[in-house]
Short mmCIF file of all heavy atoms in Angstrom, two decimals:
data_model
loop_
_atom_site.label_atom_id
_atom_site.label_comp_id
_atom_site.label_asym_id
_atom_site.label_seq_id
_atom_site.Cartn_x
_atom_site.Cartn_y
_atom_site.Cartn_z
N GLN A 9 24.20 -30.57 4.69
CA GLN A 9 23.95 -29.82 5.92
C GLN A 9 23.60 -28.38 5.59
O GLN A 9 24.38 -27.69 4.94
CB GLN A 9 25.27 -29.83 6.71
CG GLN A 9 25.27 -30.17 8.19
CD GLN A 9 24.07 -30.82 8.81
OE1 GLN A 9 23.19 -30.14 9.25
NE2 GLN A 9 24.08 -32.14 8.86
N PRO A 10 22.43 -27.89 5.98
CA PRO A 10 22.06 -26.54 5.55
C PRO A 10 22.87 -25.42 6.20
O PRO A 10 23.09 -25.45 7.40
CB PRO A 10 20.57 -26.44 5.93
CG PRO A 10 20.35 -27.49 6.94
CD PRO A 10 21.39 -28.53 6.77
N ALA A 11 23.31 -24.51 5.37
CA ALA A 11 23.99 -23.32 5.89
C ALA A 11 23.02 -22.16 5.92
O ALA A 11 23.24 -21.16 6.55
CB ALA A 11 25.17 -22.97 5.01
N LEU A 12 21.91 -22.31 5.23
CA LEU A 12 20.94 -21.23 5.07
C LEU A 12 19.60 -21.95 5.08
O LEU A 12 19.27 -22.65 4.15
CB LEU A 12 21.20 -20.59 3.71
CG LEU A 12 20.42 -19.38 3.28
CD1 LEU A 12 20.72 -18.21 4.19
CD2 LEU A 12 20.83 -19.01 1.87
N VAL A 13 18.87 -21.85 6.17
CA VAL A 13 17.65 -22.66 6.24
C VAL A 13 16.43 -21.83 6.56
O VAL A 13 16.51 -20.76 7.14
CB VAL A 13 17.75 -23.78 7.31
CG1 VAL A 13 18.77 -24.80 6.93
CG2 VAL A 13 18.03 -23.19 8.69
N SER A 14 15.32 -22.36 6.16
CA SER A 14 14.04 -21.77 6.51
C SER A 14 13.20 -22.95 6.96
O SER A 14 13.20 -23.99 6.33
CB SER A 14 13.45 -21.11 5.28
OG SER A 14 12.08 -21.29 5.26
N ARG A 17 11.07 -24.28 4.33
CA ARG A 17 11.61 -24.52 3.00
C ARG A 17 12.94 -25.25 3.06
O ARG A 17 13.83 -25.01 2.28
CB ARG A 17 11.84 -23.19 2.26
CG ARG A 17 10.56 -22.40 2.23
CD ARG A 17 10.48 -21.42 1.18
NE ARG A 17 9.28 -20.63 1.46
CZ ARG A 17 9.30 -19.37 1.73
NH1 ARG A 17 10.42 -18.72 1.74
NH2 ARG A 17 8.18 -18.73 2.00
N ARG A 18 13.07 -26.16 3.99
CA ARG A 18 14.34 -26.80 4.21
C ARG A 18 14.89 -27.46 2.94
O ARG A 18 16.07 -27.34 2.64
CB ARG A 18 14.18 -27.84 5.32
CG ARG A 18 15.41 -28.05 6.14
CD ARG A 18 15.05 -28.81 7.40
NE ARG A 18 14.53 -27.95 8.45
CZ ARG A 18 15.29 -27.31 9.32
NH1 ARG A 18 16.60 -27.39 9.25
NH2 ARG A 18 14.76 -26.57 10.25
N THR A 20 14.46 -26.84 -0.27
CA THR A 20 14.97 -25.92 -1.28
C THR A 20 16.26 -25.29 -0.81
O THR A 20 17.22 -25.16 -1.56
CB THR A 20 13.93 -24.81 -1.55
OG1 THR A 20 12.69 -25.43 -1.81
CG2 THR A 20 14.35 -23.98 -2.73
N MET A 21 16.29 -24.91 0.46
CA MET A 21 17.45 -24.21 0.97
C MET A 21 18.67 -25.12 1.01
O MET A 21 19.79 -24.68 0.96
CB MET A 21 17.16 -23.66 2.37
CG MET A 21 16.03 -22.66 2.41
SD MET A 21 15.96 -21.53 1.01
CE MET A 21 17.41 -20.54 1.35
N ARG A 22 18.43 -26.44 1.06
CA ARG A 22 19.55 -27.38 1.11
C ARG A 22 20.46 -27.20 -0.10
O ARG A 22 21.67 -27.22 -0.01
CB ARG A 22 18.97 -28.80 1.15
CG ARG A 22 19.99 -29.86 1.41
CD ARG A 22 19.31 -31.18 1.68
NE ARG A 22 18.57 -31.12 2.93
CZ ARG A 22 17.61 -31.98 3.27
NH1 ARG A 22 17.28 -32.93 2.43
NH2 ARG A 22 16.99 -31.87 4.41
N LYS A 23 19.84 -27.00 -1.26
CA LYS A 23 20.61 -26.79 -2.48
C LYS A 23 21.49 -25.56 -2.36
O LYS A 23 22.65 -25.57 -2.74
CB LYS A 23 19.66 -26.59 -3.67
CG LYS A 23 19.03 -27.85 -4.17
CD LYS A 23 18.60 -27.70 -5.63
CE LYS A 23 17.43 -26.78 -5.81
NZ LYS A 23 16.14 -27.31 -5.44
N LEU A 24 20.89 -24.50 -1.82
CA LEU A 24 21.62 -23.24 -1.69
C LEU A 24 22.78 -23.44 -0.74
O LEU A 24 23.88 -22.95 -0.95
CB LEU A 24 20.70 -22.16 -1.13
CG LEU A 24 19.48 -21.91 -1.97
CD1 LEU A 24 18.54 -20.99 -1.23
CD2 LEU A 24 19.93 -21.29 -3.26
N ALA A 25 22.51 -24.17 0.31
CA ALA A 25 23.53 -24.40 1.32
C ALA A 25 24.72 -25.11 0.69
O ALA A 25 25.87 -24.76 0.91
CB ALA A 25 22.95 -25.22 2.46
N ALA A 26 24.42 -26.12 -0.12
CA ALA A 26 25.50 -26.85 -0.78
C ALA A 26 26.31 -25.88 -1.63
O ALA A 26 27.54 -25.92 -1.64
CB ALA A 26 24.92 -27.97 -1.65
N ALA A 28 26.62 -22.63 -1.14
CA ALA A 28 27.35 -21.72 -0.27
C ALA A 28 28.60 -22.40 0.27
O ALA A 28 29.69 -21.83 0.30
CB ALA A 28 26.45 -21.26 0.87
N THR A 306 16.48 -11.51 -2.59
CA THR A 306 15.59 -12.64 -2.30
C THR A 306 16.30 -13.74 -1.51
O THR A 306 15.66 -14.52 -0.83
CB THR A 306 15.04 -13.23 -3.61
OG1 THR A 306 16.13 -13.56 -4.47
CG2 THR A 306 14.14 -12.22 -4.32
N ARG A 307 17.64 -13.80 -1.60
CA ARG A 307 18.44 -14.78 -0.86
C ARG A 307 19.73 -14.15 -0.40
O ARG A 307 20.49 -13.71 -1.27
CB ARG A 307 18.79 -15.99 -1.75
CG ARG A 307 17.75 -17.05 -1.81
CD ARG A 307 18.30 -18.34 -2.37
NE ARG A 307 19.16 -18.19 -3.53
CZ ARG A 307 18.73 -18.17 -4.79
NH1 ARG A 307 17.47 -18.28 -5.07
NH2 ARG A 307 19.58 -18.04 -5.77
N PRO A 308 20.00 -14.05 0.89
CA PRO A 308 19.09 -14.42 1.97
C PRO A 308 18.06 -13.32 2.20
O PRO A 308 18.32 -12.16 1.92
CB PRO A 308 20.01 -14.58 3.17
CG PRO A 308 21.20 -13.73 2.88
CD PRO A 308 21.32 -13.63 1.39
N SER A 309 16.89 -13.71 2.73
CA SER A 309 15.85 -12.73 3.05
C SER A 309 15.08 -13.23 4.27
O SER A 309 15.34 -14.33 4.77
CB SER A 309 14.95 -12.50 1.84
OG SER A 309 14.33 -13.70 1.45
N GLY A 311 13.19 -14.79 7.16
CA GLY A 311 12.74 -16.17 7.32
C GLY A 311 13.85 -17.18 7.11
O GLY A 311 13.76 -18.32 7.55
N HIS A 312 14.94 -16.76 6.44
CA HIS A 312 16.10 -17.63 6.28
C HIS A 312 16.95 -17.58 7.55
O HIS A 312 16.84 -16.65 8.35
CB HIS A 312 16.96 -17.19 5.09
CG HIS A 312 16.28 -17.41 3.77
ND1 HIS A 312 16.58 -16.67 2.66
CD2 HIS A 312 15.32 -18.28 3.41
CE1 HIS A 312 15.83 -17.09 1.64
NE2 HIS A 312 15.05 -18.05 2.08
N ARG A 313 17.81 -18.57 7.71
CA ARG A 313 18.76 -18.55 8.81
C ARG A 313 20.13 -18.98 8.30
O ARG A 313 20.25 -20.01 7.64
CB ARG A 313 18.29 -19.48 9.93
CG ARG A 313 18.93 -19.16 11.27
CD ARG A 313 18.17 -19.78 12.43
NE ARG A 313 18.14 -21.22 12.38
CZ ARG A 313 17.03 -21.97 12.28
NH1 ARG A 313 15.85 -21.39 12.23
NH2 ARG A 313 17.10 -23.27 12.23
N LEU A 314 21.14 -18.19 8.59
CA LEU A 314 22.50 -18.53 8.19
C LEU A 314 23.11 -19.37 9.32
O LEU A 314 23.06 -18.96 10.48
CB LEU A 314 23.34 -17.27 7.99
CG LEU A 314 22.70 -16.12 7.20
CD1 LEU A 314 23.70 -14.97 7.05
CD2 LEU A 314 22.26 -16.60 5.83
N THR A 315 23.64 -20.54 8.97
CA THR A 315 24.17 -21.39 10.05
C THR A 315 25.68 -21.59 9.94
O THR A 315 26.27 -22.22 10.79
CB THR A 315 23.48 -22.76 10.05
OG1 THR A 315 23.72 -23.39 8.80
CG2 THR A 315 21.99 -22.62 10.29
N THR A 316 26.29 -21.08 8.87
CA THR A 316 27.73 -21.24 8.70
C THR A 316 28.34 -19.87 8.44
O THR A 316 27.82 -19.12 7.62
CB THR A 316 28.01 -22.13 7.46
OG1 THR A 316 27.29 -23.34 7.60
CG2 THR A 316 29.48 -22.44 7.32
N TYR A 320 28.62 -16.16 1.22
CA TYR A 320 27.24 -16.28 0.71
C TYR A 320 27.10 -15.41 -0.53
O TYR A 320 27.54 -14.26 -0.52
CB TYR A 320 26.22 -15.78 1.74
CG TYR A 320 26.06 -16.70 2.92
CD1 TYR A 320 26.88 -16.56 4.03
CD2 TYR A 320 25.11 -17.71 2.90
CE1 TYR A 320 26.75 -17.43 5.11
CE2 TYR A 320 24.98 -18.58 3.97
CZ TYR A 320 25.80 -18.44 5.08
OH TYR A 320 25.68 -19.30 6.12
N PRO A 321 26.47 -15.94 -1.59
CA PRO A 321 26.08 -15.04 -2.67
C PRO A 321 24.79 -14.33 -2.25
O PRO A 321 23.84 -14.98 -1.82
CB PRO A 321 25.83 -15.98 -3.85
CG PRO A 321 25.60 -17.33 -3.26
CD PRO A 321 26.06 -17.33 -1.82
N GLY A 418 22.18 -15.54 13.14
CA GLY A 418 22.05 -15.96 11.75
C GLY A 418 20.62 -15.82 11.23
O GLY A 418 20.36 -15.96 10.03
N VAL A 420 17.46 -14.12 9.75
CA VAL A 420 17.28 -12.96 8.88
C VAL A 420 15.85 -12.45 9.06
O VAL A 420 14.90 -13.22 8.98
CB VAL A 420 17.55 -13.31 7.40
CG1 VAL A 420 17.50 -12.05 6.53
CG2 VAL A 420 18.88 -14.02 7.26
#
Side-chain angles (χ1 to χ4, degrees):
Q9 227 15 271
L12 184 64
V13 293
S14 143
R17 305 202 188 117
R18 211 166 277 273
T20 309
M21 299 321 290
R22 189 169 293 162
K23 283 203 290 284
L24 301 171
T306 54
R307 275 196 316 272
S309 60
H312 291 154
R313 200 162 62 241
L314 315 182
T315 60
T316 306
Y320 288 88
V420 186

